Amino acid sequence: ESYSFDHVLYAHDIAGSMAHVRGLEVAGLLTHEECSTLLETLAAIKGEFEAGTFVRAPSDEDIHMAIERRATELAGAVGAKIHTSRSRNDQVATTLRLFTREAISHIVRRCLTLVGTLVAVGEAKPDAYLPGYTHLQRAQPVLLSHHLQAHAWSVLRDVDRLLDARDRLNVSPLGAGALAGTSLPIQPRVTASLLDFDEPSANSMDAVSDRDFVVETLFDIALLGVHLSRMGEELVLWTTSEFNFATLGDDFTTGSSMLPQKKNSDVAELARAKSGRLVGNLTGLLVTLKGLPLSYNRDLQEDKEPLFDSVRQVQLVLAAMDGAYRSMTFHGDVAALAADDQLLVAIDIAEKLVGEGMPFRRAHEVAGGLVGRAVRENRSFADVVADEPTMRDYAALFEPGTALANRKSPGASGPSAAPEQSARLTERITSLTQRL
Ligand code: ARG
């Protein structure tokens, strides 16, 4: 049985059945009156689900049989015509496409909300900066807004992929029947357009056996989950006493049952953890599909739970991370101090030498040599540089915030490069919102 989990598809299944009975009328397989009776019956059944009064019969294997059984109970003889020229195979494929199409739109909406929050948190502290890291070692200073927008871009790619998946899944399996179509004079184009599908499926066997759209959606969600896990890990790091770049609101942390001083970033940790489950749902379904013979096999029923789970979980994580970022207090002073670490100026020394005509490899050696001397002699890097007779005017490079200001190439992390980036991001958000 699958009713225990596929009952959540009732609205999509009823929408599919309504289009189907309209199609039967167009094909002359139902009279206008019969069609109206069935549409009313289906609407009534939907009402029962919404009111929580629908009662499952023990013989109802799945949501499709449950609805058809009830339609026959309510409408009498004409109810028995509802499944004309249809199989549960094309029916379930249709229902699941309708569900997935809607689920993608919900997820995309939440993604765009999170992107908006990432942008807003950066804009609220336009001057805040922190060290950017490579190998988790301090590398170069970056604006907070630049850093958060890096995450925004990854989520926007997820949005783009999800919308691609939504475009590709928009094909109607209705009319394929069990696997080979029907002898009856149906017009799949009619039902396809009633359900806002772009076209009917071209091949009846492919129509009932294809679950690529579920796999694609699970992949897109898994990758989105991986991106969210990276953000989660970063919030965990930022909120440690070691970093102390940020604090999350009390609603997004928990205390310890034993240690009174603890404030744990549980929301961020769960965002990190959920990605495992999302990847598991994807790989589980891929393995289920591997080696399946054409066309429909009951194995395909196993597509639903991973899809429902991923759709639900990723929405929870998106909402939770959105709230976590909104609740975050960024400690700009602590982060700026770390970003103004004198050693981060080494590249600016080298680039100034390049400006004076020195080949970069040689400049890299000179700056590296000075770093080495500072470390060996346990002196400040600025003092070592100041000792160099040819570098008298290099002291300004060590002024707090100067290294950040000097990151000015297109796409760079400094303030002068920021407006163009924000404009490009806004443009992308606008175009993806329109596509949604
Ligand atoms: N509950 C089934 C599923 O999810 C519906 C299709 C059943 N078809 C069949 N021929 N047994 O796939």
Side-chain angles (χ1 to χ4, degrees):
E1 72 86 32
S2 57
Y3 185 91
S4 55
F5 53 86
D6 68 15
H7 63 92
V8 300
L9 294 172
Y10 75 86
H12 302 97
D13 199 63
I14 289 172
S17 288
M18 285 178 157
H20 172 67
V21 298
R22 285 209 174 96
L24 292 178
E25 186 196 340
V26 173
L29 295 163
L30 288 178
T31 64
H32 180 65
E33 209 157 75
E34 287 172 326
C35 176
S36 306
T37 306
L38 286 174
L39 289 176
E40 277 161 32
T41 305
L42 287 165
I45 295 173
K46 190 172 177 201
E48 291 183 356
F49 274 102
E50 278 160 4
T53 57
F54 186 90
V55 183
R56 176 195 185 179
S59 59
D60 294 342
E61 240 177 59
D62 56 25
I63 185 66
H64 322 292
M65 289 181 91
I67 291 170
E68 188 186 345
R69 190 254 319 146
R70 185 69 181 138
T72 312
E73 275 170 20
L74 291 176
V78 63
K81 292 192 173 184
I82 202 171
H83 212 50
T84 308
S85 83
R86 185 176 73 171
S87 151
R88 269 188 296 159
N89 300 350
D90 58 344
Q91 182 180 0
V92 69
T94 305
T95 299
L96 201 59
R97 279 175 193 262
L98 293 174
F99 169 87
T100 309
R101 187 172 75 183
E102 189 180 292
I104 287 177
S105 301
H106 288 316
I107 296 168
V108 164
R109 231 168 264 129
R110 284 193 194 271
C111 284
L112 292 170
T113 302
L114 175 61
V115 165
T117 297
L118 289 166
V119 172
V121 170
E123 275 171 1
K125 289 211 166 202
D127 305 324
Y129 62 102
L130 68 156
Y133 292 79
T134 58
H135 312 271
L136 203 52
Q137 309 273 341
R138 286 179 192 166
Q140 291 187 285
V142 300
L143 276 178
L144 175 65
S145 57
H146 184 77
H147 189 114
L148 295 175
Q149 284 183 19
H151 291 311
W153 279 108
S154 74
V155 176
L156 289 178
R157 283 192 298 279
D158 295 320
V159 166
D160 195 33
R161 262 185 293 272
L162 282 161
L163 293 176
D164 284 351
R166 194 182 65 174
D167 285 348
R168 238 184 324 276
L169 72 71
N170 211 28
V171 173
S172 176
L174 267 186
L179 80 160
T182 171
S183 63
L184 298 167
I186 55 162
Q187 295 171 43
R189 249 177 221 295
V190 172
T191 43
S193 96
L194 284 170
L195 291 168
D196 270 332
F197 284 122
D198 297 330
E199 55 187 358
S201 181
N203 181 300
S204 62
M205 293 179 83
D206 184 40
V208 296
S209 63
D210 170 28
R211 292 295 181 276
D212 292 2
F213 66 100
V214 183
V215 174
E216 274 193 59
T217 305
L218 287 177
F219 170 78
D220 295 347
I221 292 175
L223 184 51
L224 169 57
V226 165
H227 291 148
L228 290 163
S229 82
R230 296 176 72 171
M231 293 177 220
E233 165 62 3
E234 185 174 273
L235 289 184
V236 170
L237 279 176
W238 282 7
T239 54
T240 57
S241 356
E242 284 73 13
F243 272 79
N244 192 30
F245 286 180
T247 313
L248 295 182
D250 287 346
D251 291 347
F252 293 85
T253 57
T254 61
S256 152
S257 57
M258 178 173 169
L259 311 175
Q261 85 282 12
K262 294 297 289 296
K263 181 166 171 170
N264 300 322
S265 301
D266 291 30
V267 164
E269 290 174 54
L270 285 169
R272 191 172 60 187
K274 294 281 189 193
S275 57
R277 178 167 172 175
L278 302 176
V279 172
N281 286 336
L282 167 66
T283 53
L285 182 63
L286 280 171
V287 177
T288 299
L289 295 177
K290 179 200 165 294
L292 268 192
L294 287 176
S295 56
Y296 179 84
N297 300 269
R298 195 60 180 260
D299 310 48
L300 293 177
Q301 182 167 288
E302 288 294 308
D303 58 358
K304 286 171 204 64
E305 282 168 294
L307 178 66
F308 296 164
D309 186 58
S310 285
V311 163
R312 182 174 150 68
Q313 293 299 322
V314 82
Q315 293 193 74
L316 290 175
V317 179
L318 284 163
M321 285 296 279
D322 184 64
Y325 278 113
R326 282 172 198 265
S327 83
M328 180 177 82
T329 308
F330 188 76
H331 305 152
D333 47 345
V334 180
L337 202 64
D340 286 324
D341 179 336
Q342 291 189 353
L343 292 181
L344 272 55
V345 176
I347 180 64
D348 296 276
I349 307 274
E351 289 183 352
K352 193 159 161 69
L353 289 167
V354 166
E356 289 163 9
M358 191 181 283
F360 178 72
R361 270 294 150 230
R362 174 80 195 113
H364 184 277
E365 253 170 54
V366 171
L370 294 170
V371 170
R373 195 185 316 155
V375 172
R376 264 193 319 277
E377 297 174 4
N378 196 20
R379 293 171 61 208
S380 97
F381 184 43
D383 288 350
V384 169
V385 171
D387 280 355
E388 290 299 300
T390 56
M391 296 186 177
R392 295 274 183 249
D393 59 334
Y394 281 40
L397 293 178
F398 289 93
E399 289 301 317
T402 303
L404 176 74
N406 281 339
R407 311 267 74 79
K408 49 190 171 214
S409 55
S413 65
S416 64
E420 194 204 325
Q421 291 169 39
S422 296
R424 282 180 68 180
L425 191 69
T426 308
E427 217 173 89
R428 189 86 182 121
I429 293 169
T430 308
S431 77
L432 288 168
T433 306
Q434 274 163 6
R435 207 175 144 200
L436 168 67

